[in-house]
Amino acid sequence: MIQSDKARAFAALHVPGRPLILFNAWDAGTARAVAAAGATAIATGSWSVAAAHGFDDAERLPLDLAIANAARIAAAVDLPVTIDFEGGYAVDPGRLAEHMGLLLAT
């Protein structure tokens, strides 16, 4: 499934009156386990991802590790994936756009 198909599938899961329940994965292994349990999409939590790598939350996980982990999670499952990317690791709009581009490229 290509990225745009996954985006449409994720949007279709948002149905008024039928809450979308997402379980957080923090690496490729937990993403696969969540998918195998019947999830329709995969989410991440910034704290769990950071903690799994030995860092505190609040963008203390280095950007390159966050991007690489997101890429591994997205590659591990054939489901839509939503990433808790906190504040995008930037305040400046140009840098934010650059970081979002890196994340989308995963």
Side-chain angles (χ1 to χ4, degrees):
M1 187 181 305
I2 62 172
Q3 186 178 28
S4 58
D5 292 338
K6 287 182 180 182
R8 280 189 283 283
F10 188 64
L13 294 172
H14 294 77
V15 177
R18 196 174 82 205
L20 172 60
I21 299 171
L22 296 170
F23 297 93
N24 287 336
W26 51 89
D27 60 15
T30 54
R32 285 187 190 116
V34 169
T40 55
I42 303 295
T44 67
S46 62
W47 179 87
S48 58
V49 169
H53 287 86
F55 292 90
D56 289 331
D57 199 10
E59 297 183 357
R60 288 185 177 81
L61 175 69
L63 176 62
D64 62 329
L65 290 179
I67 295 291
N69 192 59
R72 286 189 299 274
I73 290 171
V77 295
D78 195 29
L79 293 172
V81 176
T82 179
I83 302 293
D84 182 349
F85 203 47
E86 300 191 67
Y89 287 78
V91 175
D92 173 72
R95 300 242 329 144
L96 180 59
E98 176 187 334
H99 295 168
M100 292 307 295
L102 292 171
L103 184 59
L104 286 170
T106 68

